[in-house]
Amino acid sequence: METCMDFMNCLGLDMSVKLLMHLKDPSDLARVSSVSRSWRDFVIANGLFKQLCMRMFPQLSKVAHVMELNNCGAKEPAEVGSSHSMECESLARDHRVYATLARVCTSLFVRDCISEAISASSTDNYPAETIDNTLLPADIISWRAYWSSKGQSNPAVPETLTYKLVSEFCVITEIYIRPFKAYFQRGSPIYSAKSVRFRMGHPKSPNDLGSHLLCDSLPSADETFIWTYTSPEFPMAQESCLQQFRLPEPVLCIGGILQIELLGRVQTQESDGLFYICISHVHVEGRCLSPAFVVENIQPSGTFVLKKDMRCKFHTQQSSPDNEAQEISDDQ
């Protein structure tokens, strides 16, 4: 009869952790933790799902602590003085929260993640050429529906479009932008930007956002928002088509604010000789992690509390309308 041997006992703690840290797919780490109770305890004790999440999304380094809401199966708080029990329960809670987060960030349905427009840095004819026009459904876009900047003699003057996302906790993967083609002007010029860049973050204060929604412009984006992510610069083609800008890696937007920086102007208007940027449509794709995950108490430093509602279930991409949705279990 063959003797079974647990190779992790032979490798030792450091080598076992180093080996499992090479796993990049959350489902692989979930399989490891389901092999045996000792392997599951090893994954929990060393916070491997938390470390995986940190590698996937560096923004999570700002998590002050995690909490579980409506977890009827959670253990009662340990007695005062039982530091070991408290530490074990804290590790188990982190494991449950980060294991779920790691899996849903890669398996939830991709959807449009823009909720509403906040502001444009300038608008030529407000409200006729407002930023709101960029959110009209793509199939009903007309030559009258677009946002236009004010004209500038200097083509290097940038513009920004700022949007509120559907949730304060989203994974963003790509942004689509359609430059506007002015069919009503001679030569049908296309008022694209030379390049684009994207920033994500959160308001410095909730009051900084509410009073400016749907306004012509914000006093200063840098005074109103704290940016936790800035993308590389992407070239934009002077073409009237929905152009895709895929981020190098999926980005966890904490705070629910996205800003599009339009850098450089390429087209002048014949009537005044000034440079303009005009956009007819913006579409942002990603995964919304609310209401199951909630961020609270976002501080100016960027730290926040991550809460997981244990009653919420997720439906993965493998689901279809004709089949029962696959739910991600939280009892891992």
Side-chain angles (χ1 to χ4, degrees):
M1 185 174 183
E2 294 185 5
T3 302
C4 296
M5 180 180 66
D6 188 338
F7 76 88
M8 285 205 295
N9 291 333
C10 300
L11 292 177
L13 174 63
D14 293 341
M15 184 59 69
S16 297
V17 170
K18 187 175 181 179
L19 177 65
L20 295 180
M21 287 276 284
H22 283 281
L23 297 177
K24 297 180 180 179
D25 190 328
S27 61
D28 290 335
L29 191 54
R31 293 187 185 98
V32 168
S33 64
S34 65
V35 168
S36 67
R37 181 174 294 276
S38 63
W39 281 31
R40 170 183 162 81
D41 291 343
F42 185 88
V43 170
I44 294 175
N46 291 279
L48 295 185
F49 264 112
K50 180 178 180 178
Q51 294 185 59
L52 175 60
C53 285
M54 296 291 185
R55 296 196 301 274
M56 293 169 62
F57 304 108
Q59 298 82 10
L60 289 172
S61 64
K62 296 293 187 177
V63 174
H65 62 275
V66 301
M67 296 177 62
E68 290 178 318
L69 306 176
N70 303 306
N71 187 3
C72 298
K75 295 180 180 179
E76 293 296 324
E79 295 181 3
V80 175
S82 181
S83 59
H84 177 71
S85 297
M86 294 176 65
E87 181 182 2
C88 289
E89 177 54 28
S90 176
L91 288 170
R93 180 174 58 251
D94 282 0
H95 171 79
R96 290 190 295 268
V97 172
Y98 284 109
T100 305
L101 180 61
R103 286 175 287 163
V104 301
C105 282
T106 56
S107 61
L108 283 181
F109 284 106
V110 173
R111 54 167 291 183
D112 183 8
C113 285
I114 290 185
S115 170
E116 55 191 311
I118 296 176
S119 180
S121 52
S122 76
T123 302
D124 190 34
N125 294 305
Y126 185 84
E129 296 173 343
T130 175
I131 184 179
D132 292 340
N133 292 337
T134 65
L135 299 184
L136 294 176
D139 57 351
I140 66 168
I141 288 176
S142 71
W143 65 271
R144 294 180 180 275
Y146 60 93
W147 162 81
S148 174
S149 71
K150 291 184 179 298
Q152 296 287 345
S153 58
N154 180 1
V157 175
E159 296 285 350
T160 59
L161 301 176
T162 307
Y163 299 91
K164 181 181 179 182
L165 301 179
V166 293
S167 165
E168 291 186 340
F169 207 47
C170 293
V171 175
I172 304 302
T173 56
E174 52 201 332
I175 296 95
Y176 294 82
I177 304 174
R178 186 199 300 272
F180 177 66
K181 184 174 184 178
Y183 294 100
F184 52 86
Q185 295 181 0
R186 189 169 67 173
S188 299
I190 300 173
Y191 292 93
S192 65
K194 185 176 181 180
S195 61
V196 294
R197 187 167 55 206
F198 309 102
R199 298 200 289 183
M200 300 182 209
H202 58 87
K204 288 185 176 180
S205 165
N207 296 330
D208 290 336
L209 178 60
S211 61
H212 293 296
L213 281 173
L214 308 180
C215 290
D216 184 17
S217 63
L218 288 171
S220 170
D222 290 331
E223 293 178 4
T224 307
F225 303 109
I226 294 176
W227 304 113
T228 57
Y229 171 81
T230 301
S231 78
E233 193 172 321
F234 299 88
M236 174 179 275
Q238 193 175 10
E239 300 174 358
S240 181
C241 61
L242 199 59
Q243 300 181 34
Q244 179 189 41
F245 303 97
R246 180 179 288 275
L247 300 175
E249 299 289 342
V251 176
L252 186 60
C253 180
I254 299 166
I257 303 298
L258 168 73
Q259 185 177 85
I260 299 174
E261 295 183 279
L262 301 161
L263 308 173
R265 301 164 187 247
V266 299
Q267 183 64 53
T268 58
Q269 182 172 249
E270 186 178 28
S271 62
D272 59 12
L274 298 178
F275 288 90
Y276 291 82
I277 300 176
C278 303
I279 301 298
S280 61
H281 188 65
V282 172
H283 177 81
V284 175
E285 288 197 349
R287 296 178 169 94
C288 175
L289 304 181
S290 295
F293 285 97
V294 179
V295 295
E296 288 189 357
N297 301 324
I298 303 178
Q299 301 298 313
S301 63
T303 59
F304 64 96
V305 176
L306 176 60
K307 296 184 178 182
K308 169 68 174 72
D309 190 337
M310 305 305 289
R311 295 178 303 182
C312 292
K313 298 293 182 179
F314 293 95
H315 302 296
T316 65
Q317 286 181 335
Q318 289 76 17
S319 304
S320 67
D322 299 325
N323 298 312
E324 182 179 357
Q326 176 183 350
E327 293 182 343
I328 296 178
S329 173
D330 293 320
D331 58 1
Q332 178 63 258

